[in-house]
Amino acid sequence: MKPIIIFIMTTIATSVALTTSVSAMTNQQMPYKSYCAKMVNYTMYTLARMKSAAKTDKASAEEKLGYAYVCGRGVQQDWAKANYWFTKAAEQGNADAENGLGIAYSHGVGVQQDWGKANYWFTKAAEQGNADAENGLGIAYSHGVGVQQDWGKANYWFTKAAEQGNADAENGLGIAYSHGLGVQQDWAKANYWFTKAAEQGDADAENGLGIANSHCRRVHQECATANYWFTKAAEQGDADAENDWGIAHSC
């Protein structure tokens, strides 16, 4: 086989590997899904340039190489190598790499789970306006992991992230307003944030809207609407939505 044909076939095979669907990601990879989604169009040439730049200690290339190893885009998925490159970039103040380390430490992927270290890196990234890291701090404060539980601070960080369109943070605010956690209970605001998140396909928010509709909590719609959102969430494997969908059928 001629060299040019070998190159073309290799490129095609690599392109297929690079365009792996986000739906095929493992549970460990899911917290990085927004980053992996950005990499689906990476080519073999892009990765070669990235590796070359990373060797010169260029932070943006190190960060992207870290995510390549997280997502298994053009390289074998490897948590140790991902965190190695994240650390290299984070030490130069790269916000996306700092967030990558925050996720690694909060979920214990490639490192021992350590919420103290997770929140350190989330804070570094959040101070630079990284929405995913802001959401990470919102989760930390709402659950009291690595920090004293504080819904006021949780909602502060959720709001910062939600204003940038982070679906997880939008859902977090929906939960806060629906339950009156750190804020006055307000179903109108809860449904506003649930809707914002649900429109991005957030299963928890879809379930939240289903609950709101099924109980007629300031939404003023019928059970059909509740079941629509329960079904949307259940189709993504949300067990709570599957249960709530069954309950809603009694109305």
Side-chain angles (χ1 to χ4, degrees):
M1 188 178 291
K2 294 181 180 180
I4 187 65
I5 297 176
I6 295 173
F7 175 77
I8 291 171
M9 293 182 68
T10 304
T11 301
I12 292 171
T14 304
S15 297
V16 171
L18 289 173
T19 55
T20 302
S21 172
V22 173
S23 63
M25 294 172 64
T26 66
N27 288 336
Q28 287 183 317
Q29 290 171 315
M30 285 306 292
Y32 301 89
K33 62 183 181 294
S34 63
Y35 290 96
C36 293
K38 296 175 185 177
M39 303 186 76
V40 294
N41 293 322
Y42 275 31
T43 66
M44 186 172 64
Y45 177 64
T46 303
L47 286 165
R49 291 179 58 194
M50 187 190 306
K51 290 180 180 180
S52 179
K55 291 177 181 178
T56 65
D57 213 26
K58 186 175 180 180
S60 61
E62 293 169 339
E63 166 256 311
K64 288 181 176 62
L65 192 53
Y67 283 110
Y69 279 110
V70 164
C71 308
R73 293 291 193 263
V75 291
Q76 186 69 32
Q77 202 277 334
D78 189 318
W79 290 109
K81 289 181 179 178
N83 293 331
Y84 168 80
W85 288 111
F86 283 151
T87 301
K88 293 273 287 181
E91 288 172 347
Q92 297 182 65
N94 182 285
D96 286 329
E98 291 167 346
N99 180 60
L101 285 177
I103 296 173
Y105 280 110
S106 65
H107 288 76
V109 285
V111 291
Q112 185 72 29
Q113 186 179 45
D114 186 327
W115 270 96
K117 290 182 179 178
N119 293 334
Y120 169 80
W121 288 113
F122 280 147
T123 301
K124 296 276 284 184
E127 288 173 347
Q128 297 187 63
N130 183 286
D132 289 329
E134 291 167 346
N135 179 62
L137 285 177
I139 292 171
Y141 279 110
S142 64
H143 289 76
V145 283
V147 290
Q148 185 72 30
Q149 187 179 46
D150 186 327
W151 270 96
K153 289 182 179 178
N155 293 333
Y156 168 81
W157 288 111
F158 281 147
T159 301
K160 294 276 284 183
E163 288 173 346
Q164 297 188 63
N166 183 286
D168 290 332
E170 291 167 346
N171 180 61
L173 286 177
I175 292 171
Y177 280 110
S178 64
H179 291 80
L181 300 169
V183 289
Q184 186 71 30
Q185 188 179 46
D186 186 326
W187 272 97
K189 289 182 179 178
N191 293 328
Y192 169 81
W193 288 113
F194 280 146
T195 300
K196 295 277 284 183
E199 288 172 347
Q200 296 189 62
D202 186 285
D204 291 329
E206 291 167 349
N207 186 51
L209 279 176
I211 292 170
N213 278 270
S214 66
H215 292 280
C216 301
R217 287 174 169 151
R218 299 186 185 276
V219 181
H220 306 299
Q221 295 185 19
E222 303 298 326
C223 286
T225 303
N227 293 335
Y228 168 79
W229 287 112
F230 283 146
T231 301
K232 292 277 283 183
E235 286 173 348
Q236 296 191 61
D238 189 298
D240 291 331
E242 293 167 348
N243 179 63
D244 293 334
W245 184 81
I247 295 171
H249 270 68
S250 64
C251 70

